[in-house]
Amino acid sequence: DGGITQSPKYLFRKEGQNVTLSCEQNLNHDAMYWYRQDPGQGLRLIYYSQIVNDFQKGDIAEGYSVSREKKESFPLTVTSAQKNPTAFYLCASSNGQGTKETQYFGPGTRLLVL
Amino acid sequence: AQSVTQLGSHVSVSEGALVLLRCNYSSSVPPYLFWYVQYPNQGLQLLLKYTSAATLVKGINGFEAEFKKSETSFHLTKPSAHMSDAAEYFCAVSDEGNNFNKFCFGSGTKLNVKP
């Protein structure tokens, strides 16, 4: 089955620690995205990547970093500079860069701070 | 700039009643509009999308939405609610003014279905 996988489902971060969230897709999609979801605020874009080895900051990139070394993988690192990391993180992908394209979402990772 | 407003953060209906979830958008160019559903602790699933073809769009699970340019609206409806429809619903807009596929999401509407 084609789809997007995210791991882990739950992640705990200690103060001052960097943590990495995994996102893998086997849909052969060029574009991938990371969103942060907080209650009552909808989804906010953190980073996006249109092709391998290229990525751009979204609306709330501070305290986060990404890489796109492979087409199928787009890991997100939450750094110690992100002072309020507790949220639900969603990865998405789309086929191409056109604005009509549907974004398909993974199951999400919930990040909690110890 | 794009924006999306979903009126009503919580909507409650009885099982079998009409579901109406409201979405108004702002876009300087012709928009593409999407409705997604999210069940607790899960990702978003596409219900339907409007991409400038028919203004009445039918989606999965009996949902449909009508694009009304004059009202800048894309409200989601279902004639008869089922208990399994209880979830959070998000409206999103993308438009041709973008240089990439950036979505703007509304803040979501939680649908409660009473037995």
Side-chain angles (χ1 to χ4, degrees):
Chain A
D1 279 344
I4 302 173
T5 57
Q6 291 186 242
S7 62
K9 188 172 177 65
Y10 294 94
L11 186 57
F12 298 90
R13 193 190 91 163
K14 295 180 182 178
E15 195 138 347
Q17 186 182 41
N18 292 353
V19 293
T20 297
L21 286 62
S22 170
C23 177
E24 303 276 333
Q25 54 99 358
N26 61 4
L27 300 168
N28 201 33
H29 285 171
D30 288 314
M32 297 186 74
Y33 314 81
W34 273 105
Y35 290 92
R36 172 179 170 140
Q37 185 178 21
D38 296 281
Q41 293 193 43
L43 279 71
R44 293 182 290 168
L45 183 64
I46 304 172
Y47 268 97
Y48 65 96
S49 169
Q50 295 173 279
I51 55 171
V52 174
N53 293 321
D54 181 66
F55 50 83
Q56 305 294 330
K57 293 182 179 180
D59 300 320
I60 56 164
E62 185 175 351
Y64 301 97
S65 65
V66 294
S67 64
R68 185 85 187 275
E69 297 175 1
K70 297 186 295 182
K71 186 176 185 176
E72 60 269 24
S73 179
F74 191 39
L76 173 74
T77 296
V78 183
T79 74
S80 56
Q82 173 50 244
K83 297 306 179 188
N84 183 25
T86 297
F88 192 51
Y89 290 86
L90 289 161
C91 179
S93 70
S94 66
N95 186 20
Q97 303 163 22
T99 51
K100 293 183 181 181
E101 301 296 337
T102 300
Q103 290 188 16
Y104 296 90
F105 285 81
T109 292
R110 188 166 297 281
L111 177 60
L112 300 164
V113 177
L114 293 175
Chain B
Q2 309 159 295
S3 68
V4 174
T5 302
Q6 291 185 240
L7 288 175
S9 58
H10 291 80
V11 170
S12 186
V13 300
S14 297
E15 191 173 19
L18 171 72
V19 175
L20 170 60
L21 304 181
R22 300 178 186 274
C23 172
N24 288 88
Y25 69 91
S26 171
S27 176
S28 58
V29 295
Y32 302 118
L33 295 154
F34 302 77
W35 274 102
Y36 285 87
V37 61
Q38 184 181 35
Y39 297 97
N41 292 311
Q42 294 186 26
L44 276 65
Q45 179 185 4
L46 180 71
L47 279 176
L48 50 80
K49 67 178 183 181
Y50 166 77
T51 56
S52 73
T55 56
L56 181 62
V57 182
K58 294 187 184 297
I60 62 171
N61 302 338
F63 284 94
E64 63 182 38
E66 186 172 8
F67 171 68
K68 292 187 176 180
K69 184 178 178 180
S70 60
E71 299 178 8
T72 59
S73 69
F74 191 57
H75 302 330
L76 183 70
T77 60
K78 182 174 181 177
S80 177
H82 192 272
M83 296 297 292
S84 61
D85 295 326
E88 189 160 19
Y89 293 80
F90 291 93
C91 182
V93 63
S94 176
D95 65 45
E96 291 179 332
N98 291 333
N99 61 359
F100 78 103
N101 191 14
K102 181 178 178 181
F103 281 17
C104 177
F105 285 88
S107 55
T109 298
K110 285 188 177 177
L111 176 65
N112 177 47
V113 182
K114 299 175 288 186

